[in-house]
Amino acid sequence: MPQNLFNQKQKLFDLWAPSYDWLLPSVFYQAVHQRLLEYIQLSEHPDVLDLGCGTGRLLRRLAAQFPTLQGTGLDLSPEMLHQAQNRNDCPRLTFVQGNAESLPFAEAQFEAAFSTFSFLHYPHPEQVLSEVSRVLKPSGRFYLVDFTVGALSQQSQVKLPGAIQFYSREARKRLGEAVGLRCYNHYHLLGPVLLTIFEK
Ligand SMILES: C[S@@+](CC[C@H](N)C(=O)[O-])C[C@H]1O[C@@H](n2cnc3c(N)ncnc32)[C@H](O)[C@@H]1O
């Protein structure tokens, strides 16, 4: 069943990829990326990972903002990666296909990891967080950006059709702490979009 789900998600994003950057949701996502920049702290020579990188917009923005940054984008969808590679003119960025549940990277490889509007698609969030914790260096940070549970809901986790899940602040904190990621803070970026910063 999960493999079936990943195949369905991959097909959906493969179809969306060619027009992804020009559709309204992406315009909103880009405004969120811009806001996210205000909260990022990196060293002089950072090596960062973007999970569910899509067409690579966030990584290109980060590479422009941090001129020595090395970035890796990982995504399930080959078509999203095709778009990312076609639009990328920065040799410091690389894009690889993979599943966030099983990262093809070494232990303690990255100083920071990002996930914008992708975590909601992960059927096993605890497994993804455990992988993020493994590939982060000690004191490394994970910037999780996604829609959060609305003010009207008392639930800590809301499941929507299409295997989409939103998490409250408390649920994010609990999931992170279970795999050794301390919840540093939460910030509202735009509308219902919440940034949670975890530290290893
Ligand atoms: C809505 S897009 C967000 C793209 C980009 N992060 C942004 O901010 O515009 C969600 C992305 O997550 C990817 N994705 C979904 N499930 C994934 C998984 N299990 N592993 C890796 N990527 C995944 C999709 O292929 C898609 O490119």
Side-chain angles (χ1 to χ4, degrees):
M1 178 62 183
Q3 190 50 48
N4 220 0
L5 178 64
F6 291 128
N7 291 342
Q8 286 168 15
K9 295 256 180 196
Q10 183 185 314
K11 278 192 192 137
L12 169 78
F13 284 106
D14 277 347
L15 282 174
W16 192 359
S19 57
Y20 181 82
D21 279 349
W22 320 118
L23 297 178
L24 204 55
S26 184
V27 175
F28 177 73
Y29 299 162
Q30 287 165 46
V32 171
H33 295 168
Q34 175 68 41
R35 288 263 171 110
L36 169 63
L37 285 186
E38 296 166 29
Y39 298 91
I40 299 174
Q41 286 176 17
L42 293 173
S43 70
E44 272 188 33
H45 294 281
D47 202 343
V48 309
L49 170 67
D50 186 11
L51 286 182
C53 64
T55 58
R57 283 241 180 202
L58 175 64
L59 276 181
R60 293 206 297 284
R61 196 185 282 267
L62 290 172
Q65 179 87 4
F66 300 95
T68 57
L69 174 142
Q70 300 280 342
T72 303
L74 175 127
D75 203 283
L76 199 58
S77 155
E79 280 306 318
M80 282 288 193
L81 293 167
H82 181 67
Q83 299 294 327
Q85 265 142 3
N86 276 354
R87 286 164 204 192
N88 179 35
D89 56 4
C90 176
R92 291 177 285 119
L93 300 182
T94 51
F95 295 94
V96 295
Q97 192 190 1
N99 189 327
E101 289 196 356
S102 169
L103 297 176
F105 307 116
E107 228 167 89
Q109 185 171 334
F110 300 100
E111 166 179 331
F114 297 86
S115 178
T116 58
F117 305 105
S118 185
F119 199 80
L120 74 168
H121 293 289
Y122 304 153
H124 309 115
E126 59 294 327
Q127 172 61 23
V128 175
L129 286 168
S130 159
E131 278 293 86
V132 169
S133 179
R134 183 181 66 77
V135 302
L136 275 182
K137 295 182 196 297
S139 303
R141 287 189 169 189
F142 177 42
Y143 297 84
L144 168 57
V145 175
D146 229 324
F147 299 101
T148 191
V149 170
L152 293 178
S153 172
Q154 299 301 310
Q155 292 170 277
S156 63
Q157 200 167 326
V158 171
K159 292 188 184 209
L160 297 180
I164 286 175
Q165 304 186 69
F166 298 154
Y167 305 90
S168 67
R169 291 167 180 239
E170 294 69 31
R172 291 183 183 197
K173 184 169 185 276
R174 201 172 50 245
L175 284 165
E177 281 174 353
V179 297
L181 292 173
R182 185 177 69 84
C183 184
Y184 176 77
N185 215 339
H186 307 277
Y187 305 93
H188 269 288
L189 295 185
L190 202 56
V193 178
L194 184 72
L195 161 66
T196 300
I197 303 179
F198 295 94
E199 197 167 81
K200 181 165 166 182

